[in-house]
mmCIF file of all heavy atoms in Angstrom:
data_model
loop_
_atom_site.group_PDB
_atom_site.id
_atom_site.type_symbol
_atom_site.label_atom_id
_atom_site.label_comp_id
_atom_site.label_asym_id
_atom_site.label_seq_id
_atom_site.Cartn_x
_atom_site.Cartn_y
_atom_site.Cartn_z
ATOM 1 N N ASP A 8 -1.941 -28.046 -7.049
ATOM 2 C CA ASP A 8 -1.608 -27.337 -8.282
ATOM 3 C C ASP A 8 -1.542 -25.848 -7.961
ATOM 4 O O ASP A 8 -2.516 -25.127 -8.129
ATOM 5 C CB ASP A 8 -2.657 -27.630 -9.349
ATOM 6 C CG ASP A 8 -2.361 -26.926 -10.650
ATOM 7 O OD1 ASP A 8 -1.228 -26.419 -10.825
ATOM 8 O OD2 ASP A 8 -3.262 -26.855 -11.498
ATOM 9 N N PHE A 9 -0.370 -25.421 -7.464
ATOM 10 C CA PHE A 9 -0.215 -24.034 -7.064
ATOM 11 C C PHE A 9 -0.339 -23.069 -8.235
ATOM 12 O O PHE A 9 -0.902 -22.005 -8.106
ATOM 13 C CB PHE A 9 1.138 -23.820 -6.377
ATOM 14 C CG PHE A 9 1.241 -24.495 -5.052
ATOM 15 C CD1 PHE A 9 2.036 -25.613 -4.897
ATOM 16 C CD2 PHE A 9 0.541 -24.020 -3.965
ATOM 17 C CE1 PHE A 9 2.137 -26.237 -3.665
ATOM 18 C CE2 PHE A 9 0.634 -24.630 -2.727
ATOM 19 C CZ PHE A 9 1.429 -25.746 -2.584
ATOM 20 N N LYS A 10 0.200 -23.457 -9.369
ATOM 21 C CA LYS A 10 0.246 -22.541 -10.501
ATOM 22 C C LYS A 10 -1.152 -22.099 -10.921
ATOM 23 O O LYS A 10 -1.407 -20.912 -11.064
ATOM 24 C CB LYS A 10 0.993 -23.155 -11.683
ATOM 25 C CG LYS A 10 1.209 -22.154 -12.785
ATOM 26 C CD LYS A 10 2.210 -22.621 -13.794
ATOM 27 C CE LYS A 10 2.457 -21.485 -14.776
ATOM 28 N NZ LYS A 10 3.582 -21.708 -15.619
ATOM 29 N N SER A 11 -2.066 -23.039 -11.081
ATOM 30 C CA SER A 11 -3.409 -22.649 -11.518
ATOM 31 C C SER A 11 -4.168 -21.891 -10.428
ATOM 32 O O SER A 11 -5.001 -21.048 -10.718
ATOM 33 C CB SER A 11 -4.212 -23.867 -11.974
ATOM 34 O OG SER A 11 -4.497 -24.714 -10.880
ATOM 35 N N LYS A 12 -3.850 -22.183 -9.176
ATOM 36 C CA LYS A 12 -4.528 -21.504 -8.063
ATOM 37 C C LYS A 12 -4.019 -20.086 -7.845
ATOM 38 O O LYS A 12 -4.740 -19.222 -7.378
ATOM 39 C CB LYS A 12 -4.367 -22.290 -6.756
ATOM 40 C CG LYS A 12 -4.901 -23.674 -6.788
ATOM 41 C CD LYS A 12 -6.388 -23.699 -6.632
ATOM 42 C CE LYS A 12 -6.857 -25.133 -6.491
ATOM 43 N NZ LYS A 12 -8.160 -25.363 -7.021
ATOM 44 N N LEU A 13 -2.737 -19.839 -8.161
ATOM 45 C CA LEU A 13 -2.130 -18.549 -7.851
ATOM 46 C C LEU A 13 -1.909 -17.646 -9.066
ATOM 47 O O LEU A 13 -1.669 -16.453 -8.904
ATOM 48 C CB LEU A 13 -0.804 -18.765 -7.121
ATOM 49 C CG LEU A 13 -0.951 -19.406 -5.742
ATOM 50 C CD1 LEU A 13 0.399 -19.845 -5.210
ATOM 51 C CD2 LEU A 13 -1.637 -18.463 -4.785
ATOM 52 N N ALA A 14 -1.974 -18.201 -10.260
ATOM 53 C CA ALA A 14 -1.782 -17.385 -11.466
ATOM 54 C C ALA A 14 -2.790 -16.241 -11.482
ATOM 55 O O ALA A 14 -3.976 -16.445 -11.228
ATOM 56 C CB ALA A 14 -1.928 -18.250 -12.717
ATOM 57 N N GLY A 15 -2.287 -15.044 -11.708
ATOM 58 C CA GLY A 15 -3.162 -13.874 -11.786
ATOM 59 C C GLY A 15 -3.599 -13.311 -10.448
ATOM 60 O O GLY A 15 -4.396 -12.382 -10.402
ATOM 61 N N LYS A 16 -3.083 -13.831 -9.358
ATOM 62 C CA LYS A 16 -3.484 -13.375 -8.021
ATOM 63 C C LYS A 16 -2.519 -12.309 -7.499
ATOM 64 O O LYS A 16 -1.387 -12.198 -7.932
ATOM 65 C CB LYS A 16 -3.497 -14.549 -7.029
ATOM 66 C CG LYS A 16 -4.417 -15.676 -7.422
ATOM 67 C CD LYS A 16 -5.863 -15.258 -7.390
ATOM 68 C CE LYS A 16 -6.754 -16.452 -7.702
ATOM 69 N NZ LYS A 16 -8.138 -16.114 -7.791
ATOM 70 N N ALA A 32 8.652 -16.909 -2.435
ATOM 71 C CA ALA A 32 8.623 -15.795 -3.391
ATOM 72 C C ALA A 32 8.967 -16.268 -4.802
ATOM 73 O O ALA A 32 8.291 -15.914 -5.771
ATOM 74 C CB ALA A 32 9.589 -14.692 -2.951
ATOM 75 N N LYS A 33 10.019 -17.072 -4.924
ATOM 76 C CA LYS A 33 10.415 -17.575 -6.245
ATOM 77 C C LYS A 33 9.334 -18.475 -6.833
ATOM 78 O O LYS A 33 9.038 -18.407 -8.025
ATOM 79 C CB LYS A 33 11.763 -18.291 -6.157
ATOM 80 C CG LYS A 33 12.918 -17.321 -5.922
ATOM 81 C CD LYS A 33 14.266 -17.995 -5.962
ATOM 82 C CE LYS A 33 14.583 -18.622 -4.643
ATOM 83 N NZ LYS A 33 15.954 -19.126 -4.539
ATOM 84 N N LYS A 34 8.706 -19.283 -5.999
ATOM 85 C CA LYS A 34 7.620 -20.163 -6.452
ATOM 86 C C LYS A 34 6.428 -19.321 -6.936
ATOM 87 O O LYS A 34 5.840 -19.615 -7.972
ATOM 88 C CB LYS A 34 7.205 -21.096 -5.313
ATOM 89 C CG LYS A 34 6.103 -22.049 -5.645
ATOM 90 C CD LYS A 34 6.626 -23.240 -6.379
ATOM 91 C CE LYS A 34 5.547 -24.311 -6.478
ATOM 92 N NZ LYS A 34 5.980 -25.445 -7.258
ATOM 93 N N LEU A 35 6.104 -18.273 -6.198
ATOM 94 C CA LEU A 35 4.993 -17.407 -6.593
ATOM 95 C C LEU A 35 5.253 -16.742 -7.944
ATOM 96 O O LEU A 35 4.357 -16.645 -8.778
ATOM 97 C CB LEU A 35 4.740 -16.343 -5.518
ATOM 98 C CG LEU A 35 4.129 -16.854 -4.218
ATOM 99 C CD1 LEU A 35 4.208 -15.780 -3.135
ATOM 100 C CD2 LEU A 35 2.694 -17.304 -4.426
ATOM 101 N N LEU A 36 6.475 -16.299 -8.159
ATOM 102 C CA LEU A 36 6.805 -15.673 -9.444
ATOM 103 C C LEU A 36 6.715 -16.684 -10.586
ATOM 104 O O LEU A 36 6.259 -16.343 -11.678
ATOM 105 C CB LEU A 36 8.179 -15.018 -9.380
ATOM 106 C CG LEU A 36 8.231 -13.761 -8.507
ATOM 107 C CD1 LEU A 36 9.665 -13.340 -8.252
ATOM 108 C CD2 LEU A 36 7.426 -12.623 -9.141
ATOM 109 N N LYS A 37 7.105 -17.922 -10.336
ATOM 110 C CA LYS A 37 6.960 -18.969 -11.357
ATOM 111 C C LYS A 37 5.491 -19.265 -11.649
ATOM 112 O O LYS A 37 5.151 -19.703 -12.735
ATOM 113 C CB LYS A 37 7.666 -20.252 -10.913
ATOM 114 C CG LYS A 37 9.168 -20.185 -11.013
ATOM 115 C CD LYS A 37 9.793 -21.497 -10.601
ATOM 116 C CE LYS A 37 11.300 -21.398 -10.623
ATOM 117 N NZ LYS A 37 11.935 -22.633 -10.140
ATOM 118 N N CYS A 38 4.642 -19.041 -10.651
ATOM 119 C CA CYS A 38 3.202 -19.273 -10.817
ATOM 120 C C CYS A 38 2.515 -18.125 -11.557
ATOM 121 O O CYS A 38 1.313 -18.155 -11.759
ATOM 122 C CB CYS A 38 2.534 -19.460 -9.453
ATOM 123 S SG CYS A 38 2.995 -20.984 -8.635
ATOM 124 N N GLN A 39 3.279 -17.128 -11.914
ATOM 125 C CA GLN A 39 2.772 -15.969 -12.653
ATOM 126 C C GLN A 39 1.674 -15.218 -11.898
ATOM 127 O O GLN A 39 0.597 -14.947 -12.424
ATOM 128 C CB GLN A 39 2.296 -16.386 -14.041
ATOM 129 C CG GLN A 39 3.419 -16.976 -14.865
ATOM 130 C CD GLN A 39 2.965 -17.520 -16.198
ATOM 131 O OE1 GLN A 39 1.841 -17.973 -16.360
ATOM 132 N NE2 GLN A 39 3.858 -17.466 -17.165
ATOM 133 N N VAL A 40 2.002 -14.870 -10.643
ATOM 134 C CA VAL A 40 1.073 -14.023 -9.896
ATOM 135 C C VAL A 40 0.970 -12.670 -10.598
ATOM 136 O O VAL A 40 1.890 -12.253 -11.314
ATOM 137 C CB VAL A 40 1.526 -13.838 -8.425
ATOM 138 C CG1 VAL A 40 1.447 -15.145 -7.674
ATOM 139 C CG2 VAL A 40 2.905 -13.227 -8.328
ATOM 140 N N ARG A 41 -0.147 -12.003 -10.398
ATOM 141 C CA ARG A 41 -0.348 -10.684 -11.015
ATOM 142 C C ARG A 41 0.483 -9.624 -10.310
ATOM 143 O O ARG A 41 1.115 -8.778 -10.939
ATOM 144 C CB ARG A 41 -1.838 -10.313 -10.985
ATOM 145 C CG ARG A 41 -2.166 -9.026 -11.737
ATOM 146 C CD ARG A 41 -3.661 -8.787 -11.792
ATOM 147 N NE ARG A 41 -4.267 -8.601 -10.486
ATOM 148 C CZ ARG A 41 -4.309 -7.458 -9.820
ATOM 149 N NH1 ARG A 41 -3.765 -6.382 -10.323
ATOM 150 N NH2 ARG A 41 -4.897 -7.396 -8.646
#
Side-chain angles (χ1 to χ4, degrees):
D8 180 14
F9 292 108
K10 188 166 186 168
S11 68
K12 301 281 187 211
L13 294 168
K16 302 294 184 184
K33 289 185 277 189
K34 180 81 169 176
L35 289 168
L36 289 168
K37 285 182 183 176
C38 291
Q39 299 175 330
V40 293
R41 186 174 63 84

